[in-house]
Amino acid sequence: MKSMLWIYTWHVCQAIEFLLGFSLLLTIFAAYDINTRNLHCVNCLAIGLCVTLGHLTFGRYTGGGMNPANVLSVAAIFDV
């Protein structure tokens, strides 16, 4: 059985990694907004859950690095 990794082109993997990175960045900015008063533990939990869900959902396809430059560099080096 062929791995799911080879079904997707590097364009699709780049888009997935961009969305993962954007969701992590958005979560960090929302967690540490200066206009809200949250507990520090809740902020860390939100960021940790975002990273965990990103790795669990798309780690199988792109490695779940949450960094679009990572996918682009690997695709360029190995000529995928």
Side-chain angles (χ1 to χ4, degrees):
M1 187 169 141
K2 203 170 199 180
S3 175
M4 291 294 289
L5 177 65
W6 301 110
I7 293 175
Y8 297 111
T9 62
W10 70 273
H11 300 289
V12 175
C13 291
Q14 183 73 22
I16 289 172
E17 285 289 325
F18 177 77
L19 289 174
L20 284 174
F22 182 73
S23 68
L24 178 62
L25 187 67
L26 189 66
T27 303
I28 291 172
F29 283 152
Y32 289 107
D33 186 17
I34 60 172
N35 296 326
T36 61
R37 292 187 173 200
N38 291 334
L39 296 174
H40 183 69
C41 298
V42 175
N43 297 342
C44 294
L45 182 65
I47 294 170
L49 284 175
C50 179
V51 170
T52 302
L53 288 175
H55 286 309
L56 289 177
T57 53
F58 294 109
R60 182 173 156 190
Y61 305 116
T62 64
M66 295 187 158
N67 185 0
N70 187 10
V71 174
L72 187 61
S73 63
V74 171
I77 290 171
F78 292 112
D79 201 23
V80 175

